[in-house]
Amino acid sequence: FPKKLIQTYSVFPNQSQDDGVGVGTSDVVVQPYNSVLSLKRLALNADCVVVLDNTALNRIATERLRISNPSVSQLNSLVSTVMAAS
């Protein structure tokens, strides 16, 4: 057994659904590919990989915590709560 375990937390980017079809758009064309490739590398090199969806974090902040326009620091606080709980 190894002496220490490597646990990582990754936040995947937003998928805006402004077009009504449900297809996400991003500023960078290769953004979905970068996310998949980084997840593959993390899965190979880490013992535990926790993936958080930025869209879901925004939804939790608006619907459950009743924050109309969550800031980055509020979302970071939510991520740190998840990290502390796991």
Side-chain angles (χ1 to χ4, degrees):
F1 292 102
K3 292 186 178 186
K4 59 183 173 181
L5 297 175
I6 300 174
Q7 184 172 1
T8 65
Y9 294 86
S10 301
V11 179
F12 274 25
N14 268 340
Q15 295 180 359
S16 64
Q17 298 178 354
D18 296 333
D19 55 2
V21 181
V23 177
T25 58
S26 65
D27 296 337
V28 182
V29 175
V30 294
Q31 187 174 18
Y33 301 110
N34 288 342
S35 298
V36 170
L37 292 175
S38 65
L39 181 61
K40 167 106 172 134
R41 186 166 183 109
L42 283 172
L44 290 174
N45 296 319
D47 298 313
C48 178
V49 179
V50 179
V51 177
L52 303 169
D53 182 22
N54 206 7
T55 306
L57 290 173
N58 280 319
R59 188 177 305 131
I60 290 169
T62 56
E63 294 177 4
R64 300 287 182 186
L65 301 177
R66 307 224 191 286
I67 303 170
S68 60
N69 191 13
S71 66
V72 174
S73 64
Q74 290 169 327
L75 292 176
N76 284 342
S77 176
L78 185 58
V79 170
S80 67
T81 302
V82 170
M83 291 174 70
S86 61

